[in-house]
């Protein structure tokens, strides 16, 4: 009798657990991936990448003038994972049947849940280049996302039409330079190939019909005294003095803080220049972090290489607000000379970043301890 | 009995060899097939990829993506992407228990494309303000991306290459890869910035420069350009005063004619923006017509589709229209403004009236 009782008890317990789990799951907040519908994600190009919640990956499509949210279905939590992949471009080239020089790697993001790395690239350098999004596992295994059939949704960016209706394709494009997801909104910056104007867009996610096309909230990123309508090249959400900010690095390399609270329709946006990295340089990516009780931001640059900005006093630093005091000044930074030929940076966890470097036609991915 | 056994063995071996020899990998119209081998109706446990894989190039790379099917008793592999010219493909057939069969194939032969060249460059003038903001390079056919660092050079008067003139790491392209936008380092253009005071503007007044585009720049087919391109120019005084439509010379056409409306700006304007930031509105709404730009982008001509009717017209000017120094209508490039934030991307327009008589 005793065994039978135990079996019954086990069944009862199991059933109760299932019911509790079902009830709990019903009360979970809506899965960000659940709003996506399966089908062909019609990407014309795959550029800037950033992760939203629940393994949703946002892909900036500069040529298509849109942002596509993809369900990576990659939600198994992993605390940390080190990646060291040599010849990533060769692996991708092999998968898609071209020589490595025909692979352009555009951006990289780390899935905050699974710690797998996602890379956007182009197969080919011409106008018929095919967009690619690949997953790179710590083992080095490279798997492309099947864009032909994947749960996804997209939102179109506003684009000015060409006057010449006979033109085969509108020559005006906005290259999406960076994206970040914060508090249910996707922040997007871009750079036009025609006007100097810069816009910082905030798009609520899930993308609603109302959020499409001209319904996007848009404001001009106006900023310190020296920069007028300059395009933001890279940015990160950042907390200063308990208040949320956007830290934006501009094309002429000033670092500017913009209070998130100011980013509202109808408000005046005023940014403050808090550092200047110097000229002839484009900032590429930023990774903010804390180490030994101090705040830092690791910044990759086209010309200056990787620098480590001391960020402890960013909240109280005197703004650089007079042209006469502009110097490579504001927050101090160290050059990280051990990191060379860095093209992209991405945060892995509190203590690690992923580095994409390219040397002699070889693109490598490597996890590093934050310096 | 023994001789018979020998014969049987020889026949079996020969038969096996014959069967093995008959198996071959073929490439036909971009599709790989295994001829002379009868696949099972269902894929093996490891999938068809465990039997047939195709590799691109010589590097140690994973097998190519694609789909497998059995068609008319033949195993077929269709690559996910079309085969590319200049690539060697290696197909490997692993028949269980036998030595793998390997065969290499060349990608399709490159089509001899008409030689691509640099068609034109804007600003087209040969004297450029020292604060010129951008270069637009138009190619006659689509070209490859990611070549600027190696193939585009700015030389000084002695032929020495200048670094730090153009913004690095930022190629901006149209969707067709035919027009490249390059930006002069804005840090060196804006007064008050450290780099402007330390290094001076990217183009110095009175100095001579040459823009050079190497013919080694591959077009979209991977073929080099027909020739090097060179544009010589001289640095002129900076243009800091924003364009003012009130100062433009507008020459109205005659009623009943299709002669163009001519607008002269008195300076060179941004060529691509002239294609879409000026419009003509008449008594019946927006006037349809074609645009021509000449005089080194100092002059805009608008030819209506229908002859002009008498009446009052407006030249509608989008205030985002820039001159070649990035000065917008009534707003210089290097003076800061805090703009009112708007919910939508709005375009502000100013209008210049003219009469057609």
């Amino acid at each position: 009798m005793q065994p039978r009782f135990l079996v019954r008890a086990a069944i009862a317990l199991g059933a109760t657990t299932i019911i509790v789990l079902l009830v709990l799951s019903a009360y979970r907040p809506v899965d960000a991936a659940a709003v996506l519908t399966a089908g062909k994600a019609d990407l014309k190009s795959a550029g800037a990448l950033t992760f939203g919640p629940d393994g949703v990956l946002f892909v900036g499509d500069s040529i298509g003038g849109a942002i596509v949210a993809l369900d990576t279905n990659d939600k198994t939590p992993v605390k940390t994972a080190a990646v060291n992949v040599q010849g990533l471009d060769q692996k991708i080239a092999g998968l898609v049947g071209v020589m490595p020089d025909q692979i352009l790697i555009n951006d990289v993001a780390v899935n905050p849940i699974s710690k797998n790395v996602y890379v956007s690239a182009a197969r080919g350098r011409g106008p018929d280049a095919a967009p690619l999004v690949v997953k790179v596992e710590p083992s080095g295994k490279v798997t492309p996302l099947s864009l032909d059939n994947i749960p996804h949704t997209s939102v179109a960016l506003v684009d000015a039409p060409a006057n010449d209706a006979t033109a085969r394709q509108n020559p005006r494009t906005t290259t999406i330079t960076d994206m970040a997801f914060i508090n249910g909104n996707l922040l997007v910056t871009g750079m036009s190939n025609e006007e100097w104007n810069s816009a910082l867009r905030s798009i609520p996610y899930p993308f609603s019909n109302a959020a499409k096309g001209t319904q996007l909230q848009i404001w001009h990123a106006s900023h310190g005294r020296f920069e007028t309508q300059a395009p933001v090249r890279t940015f990160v959400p950042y907390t200063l003095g308990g208040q949320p900010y956007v830290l934006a690095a501009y094309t002429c390399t000033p670092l500017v803080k913009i209070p998130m609270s100011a980013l509202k329709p109808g408000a005046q946006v005023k940014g403050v220049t808090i550092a200047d990295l110097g000229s002839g340089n484009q900032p590429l990516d930023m990774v903010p972090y804390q180490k030994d009780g101090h705040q830092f931001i690791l910044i990759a640059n086209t010309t200056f290489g990787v620098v480590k900005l001391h960020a402890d006093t960013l909240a109280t630093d005197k703004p650089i607000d007079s042209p006469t005091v502009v110097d490579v000044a504001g927050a101090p930074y160290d050059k990280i000379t051990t990191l060379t030929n860095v093209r992209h940076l991405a945060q892995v966890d509190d203590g690690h970043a992923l580095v994409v470097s390219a040397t002699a036609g070889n693109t490598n991915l490597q996890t590093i301890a934050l310096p | 009995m023994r001789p018979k056994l020998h014969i049987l063995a020889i026949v079996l071996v020969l038969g096996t060899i014959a069967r093995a020899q008959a198996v071959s990998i073929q490439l036909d119209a971009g599709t790989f097939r295994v001829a002379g081998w009868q696949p099972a109706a269902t894929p093996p446990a490891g999938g068809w990829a465990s039997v047939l894989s195709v590799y691109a190039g010589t590097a140690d790379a994973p097998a190519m993506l694609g789909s497998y099917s059995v068609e008319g008793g033949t195993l077929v592999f269709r690559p996910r992407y079309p085969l590319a010219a200049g690539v060697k493909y290696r197909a490997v057939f692993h028949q269980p228990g036998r030595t793998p069969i390997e065969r290499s194939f060349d990608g399709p032969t490159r089509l001899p494309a008409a030689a691509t060249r640099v068609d034109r460059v804007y600003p087209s003038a040969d004297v450029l303000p020292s604060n010129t903001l951008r270069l637009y390079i138009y190619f006659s056919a689509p070209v490859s991306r990611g070549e600027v660092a190696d193939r585009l050079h700015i030389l000084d008067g002695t032929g020495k290459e200048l670094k730090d003139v153009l913004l690095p790491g930022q190629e901006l392209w149209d969707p067709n890869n035919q027009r490249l936008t390059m930006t002069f380092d804005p840090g060196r253009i804006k007064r008050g910035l450290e780099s402007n005071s330390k290094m001076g503007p990217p183009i110095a007044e009175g100095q001579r420069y040459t823009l050079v585009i190497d013919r080694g720049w591959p077009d979209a087919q991977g073929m080099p350009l027909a020739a090097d391109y060179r544009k010589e120019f001289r640095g002129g005084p900076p243009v800091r005063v924003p364009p003012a439509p009130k100062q433009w010379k507008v020459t109205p056409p005659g009623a009943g004619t299709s002669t163009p409306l001519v607008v002269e700006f008195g300076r060179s304007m941004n060529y691509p923006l002239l294609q879409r930031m000026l419009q003509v509105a008449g008594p019946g709404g927006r006037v349809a017509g074609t645009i021509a730009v000449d005089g080194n982008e100092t002059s805009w001509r608008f030819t209506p589709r229908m002859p002009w009717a008498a009446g009052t017209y407006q030249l509608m000017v989008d205030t985002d229209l820039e001159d070649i120094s990035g000065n917008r209508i009534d707003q210089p490039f290097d003076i800061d403004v805090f703009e009112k934030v708007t919910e939508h991307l709005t375009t502000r327009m100013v209008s210049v009236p003219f009469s057609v008589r």
Side-chain angles (χ1 to χ4, degrees):
Chain A
M1 287 301 282
Q2 208 172 5
R4 191 173 290 173
F5 167 76
L6 281 176
V7 168
R8 276 184 190 161
I11 290 170
L13 184 66
T16 311
T17 309
I18 288 166
I19 289 164
V20 168
L21 284 176
L22 283 173
V23 168
L24 281 178
S25 68
Y27 280 101
R28 275 192 62 209
V30 177
D31 188 312
V35 299
L36 307 177
T37 45
K40 184 177 162 64
D42 194 17
L43 283 166
K44 302 275 186 294
S45 63
L49 298 177
T50 198
F51 269 93
D54 301 314
V56 169
L57 177 65
F58 296 102
V59 184
D61 176 2
S62 294
I63 295 176
I67 293 162
V68 179
L70 302 174
D71 180 9
T72 59
N73 195 23
D74 181 13
K75 287 183 273 194
T76 308
V78 169
K79 204 149 180 248
T80 191
V83 174
N84 187 355
V85 177
Q86 306 293 308
L88 175 70
D89 44 353
Q90 294 174 16
K91 286 178 191 273
I92 298 175
L95 283 170
V96 298
V98 290
M99 298 307 281
D101 68 353
Q102 291 300 304
I103 297 295
L104 279 182
I105 291 181
N106 294 323
D107 201 10
V108 64
V110 179
N111 184 333
I113 303 171
S114 69
K115 301 291 189 283
N116 285 323
V117 177
Y118 285 75
V119 177
S120 60
R123 177 195 188 267
R125 290 170 178 259
D128 302 327
L132 301 170
V133 181
V134 301
K135 175 170 83 171
V136 184
E137 295 172 48
S139 65
K141 186 180 175 199
V142 178
T143 325
L145 265 62
S146 170
L147 300 174
D148 285 344
N149 187 15
I150 187 166
H152 71 280
T153 177
S154 68
V155 64
L157 296 176
V158 183
D159 225 346
N163 216 355
D164 178 9
T166 58
R168 204 148 61 92
Q169 258 181 315
N170 185 349
R172 184 186 182 279
T173 56
T174 297
T175 295
I176 297 167
T177 50
D178 205 3
M179 301 194 294
F181 188 81
I182 183 158
N183 297 337
N185 288 290
L186 185 68
L187 299 184
V188 182
T189 54
M191 192 166 176
S192 158
N193 65 346
E194 291 192 351
E195 328 91 294
W196 185 243
N197 269 5
S198 167
L200 181 58
R201 298 168 162 96
S202 175
I203 307 168
Y205 180 84
F207 304 141
S208 62
N209 282 333
K212 287 189 178 176
T214 57
Q215 297 297 312
L216 300 177
Q217 295 178 355
I218 292 165
W219 59 88
H220 290 290
S222 203
H223 29 273
R225 292 279 163 100
F226 333 109
E227 292 299 316
T228 305
Q229 307 287 333
V232 173
R233 189 60 182 72
T234 179
F235 69 96
V236 283
Y238 201 79
T239 303
L240 289 169
Q243 297 298 311
Y245 280 82
V246 169
L247 272 188
Y250 283 79
T251 280
C252 332
T253 343
L255 187 64
V256 172
K257 62 177 180 185
I258 304 161
M260 207 85 91
S261 59
L263 302 185
K264 279 181 196 153
Q268 216 173 26
V269 177
K270 185 171 178 173
V272 175
T273 304
I274 49 177
D276 199 318
L277 302 183
S279 72
N281 178 54
Q282 289 258 49
L284 296 172
D285 277 313
M286 295 197 281
V287 172
Y289 64 102
Q290 192 173 346
K291 190 174 181 181
D292 305 327
H294 295 285
Q295 304 286 336
F296 302 101
I297 305 171
L298 200 64
I299 308 174
N301 297 282
T302 51
T303 310
F304 301 152
V306 178
V307 304
K308 173 189 177 182
L309 187 95
H310 295 255
D312 279 341
T313 56
L314 284 190
T316 52
D317 275 348
K318 192 175 174 301
I320 302 172
D321 60 359
S322 155
T324 55
V325 301
V326 175
D327 205 333
V328 179
Y333 62 79
D334 313 322
K335 291 200 175 186
I336 307 295
T337 51
T338 49
L339 295 173
T340 54
N341 301 307
V342 173
R343 302 285 191 267
H344 301 280
L345 289 176
Q347 186 125 33
V348 177
D349 55 35
D350 292 343
H352 297 89
L354 182 84
V355 174
V356 181
S357 60
T359 43
N362 226 347
T363 302
N364 306 319
L365 288 184
Q366 196 183 0
T367 306
I368 57 155
L370 284 161
Chain B
M1 288 300 281
R2 194 163 276 181
K4 273 188 182 171
L5 269 176
H6 277 151
I7 289 165
L8 183 61
I10 288 164
V11 165
L12 276 173
V13 167
L14 284 176
T16 307
I17 290 168
R19 268 176 54 204
Q21 281 176 339
V23 176
S24 69
I25 309 169
Q26 295 168 356
L27 173 61
D28 179 31
T31 300
F32 295 85
R33 295 166 194 277
V34 181
W37 179 69
Q38 182 67 49
T42 52
W48 290 123
S50 67
V51 177
L52 176 67
S53 315
V54 181
Y55 300 87
T58 48
D60 174 26
M64 268 165 65
L65 301 172
S67 59
Y68 292 88
S69 55
V70 175
E71 295 171 15
T74 304
L75 179 61
V76 175
F77 173 71
R78 284 195 170 79
R80 167 72 180 77
Y81 296 95
L83 300 186
V87 182
K88 273 218 182 302
Y89 296 92
R90 187 166 56 88
V92 184
F93 175 64
H94 292 270
Q95 196 179 347
R98 295 189 195 281
T99 314
I101 296 173
E102 235 185 83
R103 190 170 167 198
S104 289
F105 300 91
D106 285 322
T109 44
R110 216 167 245 141
L111 295 175
T116 304
R117 62 198 149 69
V118 174
D119 202 27
R120 54 213 155 102
V121 170
Y122 295 102
S124 61
D126 48 19
V127 177
L128 300 184
S130 63
N131 61 342
T132 300
L133 183 60
R134 266 180 296 253
L135 284 174
Y136 294 101
I137 296 147
Y138 285 74
F139 293 89
S140 64
V143 297
S144 287
R145 292 181 183 229
E147 296 288 335
V148 165
D150 296 334
R151 314 278 183 203
L152 189 151
H153 317 278
I154 305 258
L155 312 180
D156 69 8
T158 67
K160 184 174 145 262
E161 178 158 16
L162 296 172
K163 297 288 178 191
D164 305 328
V165 168
L166 299 170
L167 210 49
Q170 189 74 64
E171 293 181 12
L172 297 167
W173 288 93
D174 71 337
N176 207 30
N177 276 27
Q178 263 186 271
R179 186 187 77 194
L180 169 68
T181 307
M182 292 302 295
T183 308
F184 287 98
D185 182 356
R188 293 180 62 180
I189 293 172
K190 291 186 176 187
R191 286 171 298 179
L193 282 184
E194 186 214 18
S195 42
N196 174 268
S197 39
K198 218 170 163 182
M199 304 169 74
I203 302 171
E205 208 174 327
Q207 296 296 309
R208 298 199 164 273
Y209 300 92
T210 310
L211 164 72
V212 179
I213 293 162
D214 293 347
R215 72 177 298 263
W217 193 313
D219 69 7
Q221 311 293 324
M223 303 298 282
L225 302 181
D228 286 339
Y229 173 87
R230 297 174 79 86
K231 174 191 166 68
E232 293 184 6
F233 61 94
R234 192 161 50 81
V239 178
R240 305 269 187 203
V241 180
K246 278 182 192 149
Q247 294 169 4
W248 295 348
K249 187 182 166 202
V250 178
T251 308
T257 72
S258 289
T259 52
L261 164 74
V262 179
V263 181
E264 287 160 278
F265 309 109
R267 69 175 74 195
S268 294
M269 302 294 285
N270 176 310
Y271 177 82
L273 297 185
L274 286 177
Q275 310 301 315
R276 64 181 172 90
M277 289 198 172
L278 289 177
Q279 294 172 11
V280 178
R286 192 177 155 187
V287 181
T290 54
I291 292 165
V293 172
D294 46 29
N296 293 332
E297 303 86 75
T298 61
S299 161
W300 186 82
R301 291 161 184 276
F302 179 82
T303 307
R305 195 171 295 159
M306 307 291 286
W308 296 101
T312 302
Y313 290 77
Q314 306 283 335
L315 174 70
M316 308 292 291
V317 185
D318 187 323
T319 54
D320 283 342
L321 178 63
E322 297 173 8
D323 64 16
I324 59 173
S325 300
N327 300 303
R328 292 189 293 161
I329 301 302
D330 299 325
Q331 190 188 311
F333 178 66
D334 62 357
I335 298 293
D336 190 36
V337 286
F338 291 119
E339 285 218 6
K340 201 83 177 139
V341 169
T342 51
E343 187 167 6
H344 307 300
L345 185 62
T346 53
T347 49
R348 292 175 304 142
M349 307 289 276
V350 292
S351 62
V352 180
F354 64 93
S355 295
V356 172
R357 294 197 186 90

